[in-house]
Amino acid sequence: EVDDASITWGYSASTAGSVKNTRLSAKRTAFGWKLKMLGGSFSQNWLKDMTIEALEVDVSKDGIKIVEADFGKGAGRVILSGTVKGPMVNPQVDVNGTIEGFPLNGCVQPEVAAVLQGRISGTLQLGGSPYGSSGITVSAEVNLGPEDEVIVTDEVKLLDVISLVDRYRSYKKVRFRSGGFTMETGKNVAVFTDINLSAQDHVQLEGAFMARRPSEKEISIAIYKTENLGQEPSQDGAQGAEIAAADFDLAAAARAAREVSDSDDKIRTIFQSQVFGQEVIRREEEARASYRSIPYLVGAVKMGLHPKAFEETRSPVLSGLFPVDEQSGLRWLNLDLNGSLPATGEELAKEIIEHAKN
């Protein structure tokens, strides 16, 4: 028995998994070893830092059989069983299970949690290999249970703008409490399909999209749109702060100090420029680290709003642009996704603001 055991696998952020600080007991059997673990945490892909309620595996020359895997996350549960077979250099995972009331804040980055919250239930399937290029793949079919909900906040600018027009409903937090979607993850990409989520008398969401990590160019554009009033960075501009910091060094300050006229002002200017340049670089690196955690969405979804969201008497132009669909009784907004999560529907938000008072 080992009171505090930790095991890791995978060779990159997308393939890595772990069992940490668990109590491990091992017993010899006729076919190999039976391992039991209790306490500590289990992580793999977006299933992060789950408490090990019970984990039992049989290890033999044929591979690993997961007899029981019961994990907790807050009030949520993940129960898995299956096998890991094949050569040690490329073991293949075949694991199935269920999730119940799993909290989304336990599997997304803080930057995403500001936009997406709630808890979900459904079925899971894990495949792939921890040493393959795609790592462990996870497929989930999510069906919201009675206590589940998916919450989208008004950190998405489109929802914030709709709140200004719809005087009957708040969009600070839209709570989808029925419906579901399918999800597949692997190789740093997540694909969401068959989205059909409903917030009763509020919003209907349908469609499909892919979420991936943003490229360095997309990160640069996002940073400069917020910091430099929407101007995309030029090759020279992106390196300006670094060049400025390099130009102003202590040697330049010493040369200025030897000059008789206005030396104090020159020294002060050089010092301030150097410190400012370093501060710009630091802030940019912090911003880049943050933006790397925000997924970039590509796809198409449509959002159905309550008929009174854009009343004809209050906003006739918006009422005409987004008429009530006879079949569903909703006003549908079509969103072509090609940007970061918080920027979803940004162009549509501008259009709504433009016509809100007409």
Side-chain angles (χ1 to χ4, degrees):
E1 291 193 0
V2 180
D3 289 334
D4 188 351
S6 296
I7 306 168
T8 61
W9 55 87
Y11 63 91
S12 66
S14 61
T15 62
S18 66
V19 169
K20 292 183 177 180
N21 308 119
T22 189
R23 183 175 182 181
L24 170 66
S25 65
K27 184 178 181 181
R28 189 76 168 145
T29 68
F31 304 101
W33 289 89
K34 180 178 285 293
L35 306 180
K36 292 185 178 182
M37 303 175 211
L38 180 64
S41 65
F42 173 89
S43 295
Q44 181 66 63
N45 293 53
W46 50 271
L47 302 170
K48 299 176 181 177
D49 298 324
M50 298 186 298
T51 301
I52 300 174
E53 304 292 345
L55 179 56
E56 179 180 336
V57 300
D58 291 337
V59 182
S60 70
K61 64 179 181 179
D62 296 325
I64 298 172
K65 180 181 179 181
I66 301 172
V67 179
E68 179 188 17
D70 187 349
F71 305 121
K73 187 73 176 180
R77 272 287 184 276
V78 177
I79 299 175
L80 303 171
S81 63
T83 61
V84 182
K85 294 183 176 181
M88 290 294 293
V89 293
N90 190 30
Q92 297 299 309
V93 175
D94 184 8
V95 174
N96 297 280
T98 60
I99 54 175
E100 182 178 344
F102 191 83
L104 293 178
N105 64 0
C107 61
V108 298
Q109 298 289 347
E111 292 82 1
V112 178
V115 179
L116 193 64
Q117 303 164 11
R119 53 189 178 272
I120 58 176
S121 299
T123 58
L124 277 179
Q125 183 174 6
L126 281 70
S129 171
Y131 302 111
S133 59
S134 296
I136 301 293
T137 61
V138 179
S139 300
E141 186 172 332
V142 174
N143 292 290
L144 299 184
E147 303 299 322
D148 295 338
E149 60 182 357
V150 174
I151 303 171
V152 181
T153 75
D154 63 355
E155 289 292 319
V156 175
K157 188 175 181 179
L158 177 61
L159 294 180
D160 189 37
V161 167
I162 295 173
S163 292
L164 301 177
V165 182
D166 187 347
R167 57 180 177 174
Y168 300 102
R169 279 158 292 276
S170 169
Y171 294 82
K172 188 173 183 63
K173 287 187 176 182
V174 178
R175 299 177 181 271
F176 297 98
R177 288 178 169 158
S178 64
F181 56 89
T182 59
M183 178 185 69
E184 296 184 31
T185 68
K187 211 170 185 178
N188 297 322
V189 170
V191 178
F192 297 82
T193 56
D194 301 322
I195 300 170
N196 189 350
L197 295 171
S198 179
Q200 188 175 6
D201 296 326
H202 201 174
V203 177
Q204 180 77 19
L205 189 65
E206 299 177 5
F209 64 88
M210 175 186 72
R212 60 171 174 80
R213 291 181 178 177
S215 68
E216 287 302 311
K217 180 179 179 181
E218 289 161 348
I219 291 172
S220 294
I221 291 172
I223 291 172
Y224 279 84
K225 275 188 175 180
T226 56
E227 299 293 333
N228 286 357
L229 304 176
Q231 294 181 0
E232 292 187 6
S234 65
Q235 201 65 22
D236 293 333
Q239 300 171 353
E242 188 173 352
I243 293 171
D247 284 347
F248 293 96
D249 55 17
L250 293 178
R255 285 195 300 270
R258 287 193 293 268
E259 296 179 11
V260 176
S261 61
D262 61 13
S263 59
D264 288 344
D265 289 339
K266 285 191 176 183
I267 292 171
R268 189 179 297 110
T269 300
I270 291 167
F271 178 76
Q272 289 174 345
S273 298
Q274 184 178 27
V275 172
F276 176 74
Q278 292 172 344
E279 176 67 12
V280 168
I281 293 171
R282 185 189 64 80
R283 288 178 55 194
E284 183 175 334
E285 285 306 310
E286 287 180 353
R288 285 186 179 279
S290 177
Y291 274 96
R292 287 189 187 103
S293 301
I294 301 174
Y296 197 93
L297 310 185
V298 180
V301 298
K302 61 178 184 177
M303 182 186 299
L305 302 181
H306 192 280
K308 288 187 176 181
F310 301 148
E311 287 185 305
E312 186 174 0
T313 54
R314 194 162 182 257
S315 303
V317 175
L318 290 178
S319 180
L321 286 173
F322 307 103
V324 177
D325 176 62
E326 291 184 5
Q327 185 174 356
S328 64
L330 301 173
R331 297 184 186 274
W332 289 100
L333 281 62
N334 295 313
L335 286 74
D336 292 323
L337 305 180
N338 190 21
S340 67
L341 175 59
T344 298
E346 200 169 49
E347 294 302 317
L348 197 54
K350 293 177 182 177
E351 184 178 4
I352 291 172
I353 283 291
E354 182 181 349
H355 299 296
K357 296 182 179 180
N358 298 325

